[in-house]
């Protein structure tokens, strides 16, 4: 994985020399299509909000909570097939983008041997054409299956309007397809209907809080989204089963609480970086420290999720060097572990 800064080569070398406002190109794990991540990460400014977008993506990779490939979360066979088709279509699209970059590079830096250059360009052009056609086919198949599944879930919602799980499944399906922040509205609409149902699962507080944080981080005017995320996550953390964490579901409950704690650090950092009064900012930072402390108690201070959270909080405090150090270490550990 790597980060390339405008005028700065390499993430490690950038530590200590980064200024707010510099442009960064962010790509996490070259072997995985970054279109599966939040698209606004492709080119962003390294300021309070946009770095959080990278940090949030990093947290998602570490916890598995908001990666597109994890969104299915136990849906039926048809939903699982939709997720597979969407992943396949995005992989083809990512391969096409990489091949187009290679073609442009070959055109700008031609081989001295004209025959070698001609062969190289022809091969790359053929590959671009092949991937373009394959991408159109894959996208059409994914869209057709997505619409079938969506229609089926709509029927289930009409028959069982009190069943929150159906709304959660519909929201996860919409999230798997979303590529732009504006497309998260349908996700949130379904998730909120699930949260309005009488019976709720503890993990839903994490999923819904997380999607509000993602939208709030990418819409600078959406402070309400961050407050809603904060409220949901706080409610979830104080659910009796997540505080006790005993019985046959203990491991699952611990993972859910870990995800919530990481998200709360993220949300507290975002709220502290926003247009709040100084006293309010300090309150959010103190809360972030408290949630970070519990996170480290649960999984250890050297865990990449803990390091990412510590980097997040450091950035909110204005400690750029400490922030980049921890985020870089978390990303490096994740890369080495193949996460």
């Amino acid at each position: 994985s790597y980060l390339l800064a405008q005028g700065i080569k390499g993430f490690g070398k950038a530590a200590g020399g980064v200024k707010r406002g510099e442009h960064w190109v962010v790509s996490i794990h070259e072997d995985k299509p970054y279109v599966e991540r939040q698209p606004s990460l492709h080119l962003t400014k390294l300021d309070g909000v946009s770095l959080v977008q990278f940090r949030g993506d990093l947290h998602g990779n570490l916890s598995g909570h908001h990666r597109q490939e994890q969104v299915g979360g136990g849906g039926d066979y048809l939903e699982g097939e939709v997720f597979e088709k969407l992943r396949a279509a995005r992989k083809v699209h990512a391969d096409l983008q990489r091949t187009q970059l290679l073609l442009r590079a070959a055109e700008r830096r031609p081989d001295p041997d004209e025959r070698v250059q001609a062969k190289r360009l022809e091969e790359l052009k053929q590959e671009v054409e092949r991937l373009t056609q394959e991408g159109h086919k894959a996208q059409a198949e994914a869209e057709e299956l997505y619409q079938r599944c969506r229609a089926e879930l709509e029927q289930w919602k009409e028959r069982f309007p009190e069943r929150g799980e159906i709304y959660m499944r519909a929201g996860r399906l919409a999230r798997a397809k979303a590529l732009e922040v504006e497309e998260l509205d349908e996700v949130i609409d379904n998730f909120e209907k699930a949260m309005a149902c009488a019976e709720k699962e503890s993990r839903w507080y994490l999923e819904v809080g997380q999607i509000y944080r993602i939208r709030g981080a990418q819409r600078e005017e959406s402070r309400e989204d961050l407050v809603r995320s904060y409220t949901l996550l706080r409610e979830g953390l104080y659910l009796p089963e997540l505080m006790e964490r005993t019985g046959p579901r203990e491991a699952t409950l611990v993972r859910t609480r870990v995800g919530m704690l990481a998200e709360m650090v993220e949300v507290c950092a975002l709220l502290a970086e926003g247009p709040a009064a100084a006293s309010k900012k300090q309150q959010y930072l103190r809360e972030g420290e408290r949630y970070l402390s519990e996170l480290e108690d649960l999984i250890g201070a050297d865990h990449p999720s803990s390091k990412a959270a510590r980097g997040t909080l450091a950035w909110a405090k204005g400690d750029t060097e400490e922030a980049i150090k921890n985020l870089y270490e978390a990303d490096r550990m994740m890369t080495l572990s193949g996460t």
Side-chain angles (χ1 to χ4, degrees), residues 96-111:
L96 174 61
Q97 287 184 316
R98 283 193 287 269
T99 306
Q100 289 172 330
L101 286 173
L102 289 173
L103 177 59
R104 288 199 291 271
E107 290 171 338
R108 292 171 184 170
R109 295 189 292 274
D111 191 283

Side-chain angles (χ1 to χ4, degrees), residues 26-28 33-44 52-54 56-58 61 66-68 71 90 175 178-184 210-211 213-215 217-218:
V26 179
S27 177
I28 299 181
Y34 57 53
V35 289
E36 292 187 15
R37 316 297 178 213
Q38 298 301 317
S40 61
L41 292 174
H42 295 174
L43 180 61
T44 185
V52 168
Q53 295 170 11
F54 161 64
D57 191 75
L58 179 60
N61 287 324
H66 80 258
R67 288 171 60 183
Q68 297 289 0
V71 163
R90 288 171 183 169
R175 183 178 178 180
L179 282 175
E180 301 293 341
V181 66
E182 290 76 15
E183 296 177 278
L184 295 179
Q210 188 178 67
I211 207 70
R213 188 265 300 162
I214 291 171
R215 192 173 74 170
Q218 297 187 55

Side-chain angles (χ1 to χ4, degrees), residues 36 53 90 119 142 173 195 254-255 268 271 285 288 300 304 319 331 334:
E36 292 187 15
Q53 295 170 11
R90 288 171 183 169
K119 180 181 178 182
L173 183 72
M195 297 304 290
V254 169
R255 284 195 299 271
C268 286
L271 288 169
L285 290 175
D319 191 344
D331 187 46
M334 183 176 63

Side-chain angles (χ1 to χ4, degrees), residues 56 59-60 63 65-66 206 209-211 213-214 229 233 257-269:
H59 279 311
S63 66
H65 289 311
H66 80 258
L206 171 58
Q210 188 178 67
I211 207 70
R213 188 265 300 162
I214 291 171
S229 175
L233 292 167
R257 188 168 185 85
V258 165
M260 285 187 179
L261 290 168
E263 283 292 325
M264 276 301 281
V265 174
E266 187 79 23
V267 172
C268 286

Side-chain angles (χ1 to χ4, degrees), residues 200-203 205 232-247 249-250 252-254 256-257 260 294:
K200 294 182 280 288
E201 295 182 16
S202 56
R203 174 166 172 81
Y205 289 85
L232 285 164
L233 292 167
R234 272 184 60 88
E235 289 178 10
L237 284 168
Y238 287 99
L239 291 173
E241 68 171 3
L242 286 182
M243 295 185 72
E244 297 168 5
R245 304 186 301 279
T246 57
R249 297 182 61 239
E250 180 180 0
T252 299
L253 295 173
V254 169
T256 300
R257 188 168 185 85
M260 285 187 179
E294 184 181 346

